[in-house]
Amino acid sequence: TQYVWYGSFGSNLNSERFACYLRGGKVAGMSIQQPGARDTHVPFRIPPTSDCPTASMVVPHRMFFAKVSPWWSNGGVAFLDCEKKEENEELHTHLRLWRISLEQFSDVFAQENGLHPAEFHERFTKEEVLAMAERGGGDHRIGNGSWYGYVKALGAFTEAGAVEPILTFTLPPVELEAIRSGVVDEVNPPSMGYHDVIARGLVELGLEATEADAYLRARYSLR
């Protein structure tokens, strides 16, 4: 089995919320119930403990809120500007890394893009994610206006000789640039329900509640 580390930066920082993509269901603040992955095994505890298979990292890219999400009371949702280095270290982004199978990652990716896992046929292969990790590349896997259709490799871990890529997904680079430059005016603060779900995830990572709140509010705009 090929494993990957999914790098989450938005609501999936929260273990309870991320588990919805694996076993199905929803958490407070969500208006849509997730079908879950075909492999419903949740390989971590809720909340996680020190012996569960999660990790974290800070990346030199900016996270911001944009679009209008009916899933989250029409507030903005989080995107990672992973093709542009952020010079201001205070705006670097916390990622939570979830170790899941590549099959589960494909199912999570499908759900994030509004698809049932059974409807997503362009599934990721071991060969392509390993190649993506080696070159630090990305792949615009789902088009047609999907918000999280671009997968980006952010490195890899090596476990017992096996390479396990670190993967995240966000808007494609062209759309990120359009929002960043102001050509498209889609920056939108999150709903409080979405804000609170992410904040609880950041607290699980070790931030104080006040730190988590300030971290998120600093990313309400791109100015």
Side-chain angles (χ1 to χ4, degrees):
T1 300
Q2 175 66 50
Y3 286 93
V4 300
W5 293 79
Y6 161 51
S8 60
F9 51 84
S11 62
N12 289 335
L13 287 165
N14 182 293
S15 59
E16 184 180 11
R17 190 273 182 272
F18 179 56
C20 293
Y21 278 134
L22 301 179
R23 66 187 181 196
K26 64 180 183 177
V27 295
M30 292 174 62
S31 58
I32 302 293
Q33 182 153 314
Q34 301 298 332
R38 284 172 286 188
D39 175 2
T40 59
H41 174 60
V42 177
F44 50 87
R45 297 177 185 172
I46 302 174
T49 60
S50 60
D51 62 350
C52 76
T54 73
S56 64
M57 63 190 295
V58 176
V59 293
H61 307 294
R62 188 167 182 174
M63 184 267 280
F64 63 91
F65 298 97
K67 305 284 189 180
V68 176
S69 174
W71 289 14
W72 294 100
S73 305
N74 294 323
V77 287
F79 298 99
L80 184 67
D81 196 354
C82 58
E83 298 294 337
K84 182 178 186 298
K85 185 175 181 179
E86 173 58 55
E87 300 298 332
N88 184 352
E89 291 187 8
E90 293 184 359
L91 292 174
H92 288 181
T93 300
H94 288 282
L95 295 188
R96 185 174 214 158
L97 307 179
W98 302 104
R99 186 177 185 262
I100 56 178
S101 71
L102 182 56
E103 281 295 303
Q104 286 181 313
F105 178 81
S106 288
D107 287 352
V108 171
F109 177 75
Q111 292 172 83
E112 276 281 15
N113 286 285
L115 298 175
H116 190 284
E119 299 171 342
F120 180 50
H121 304 299
E122 297 182 46
R123 306 182 70 75
F124 298 95
T125 67
K126 174 180 178 179
E127 293 72 22
E128 68 178 319
V129 297
L130 291 176
M132 198 184 300
E134 184 175 3
R135 70 176 190 273
D139 179 24
H140 191 185
R141 193 55 159 242
I142 298 180
N144 301 321
S146 294
W147 292 357
Y148 293 100
Y150 180 72
V151 176
K152 174 72 173 180
L154 298 172
F157 291 130
T158 301
E159 295 285 332
V163 177
E164 299 182 353
I166 301 169
L167 305 173
T168 193
F169 38 74
T170 186
L171 278 170
V174 171
E175 293 188 55
L176 289 169
E177 168 61 25
I179 295 173
R180 184 195 316 129
S181 64
V183 171
V184 176
D185 183 15
E186 291 187 326
V187 174
N188 184 26
S191 67
M192 284 312 302
Y194 189 68
H195 174 112
D196 289 346
V197 167
I198 303 175
R200 291 199 302 272
L202 290 167
V203 169
E204 287 182 5
L205 279 185
L207 276 69
E208 297 292 334
T210 53
E211 291 178 308
D213 183 70
Y215 170 91
L216 294 173
R217 292 183 185 279
R219 288 153 178 81
Y220 275 18
S221 76
L222 282 173
R223 303 293 175 252

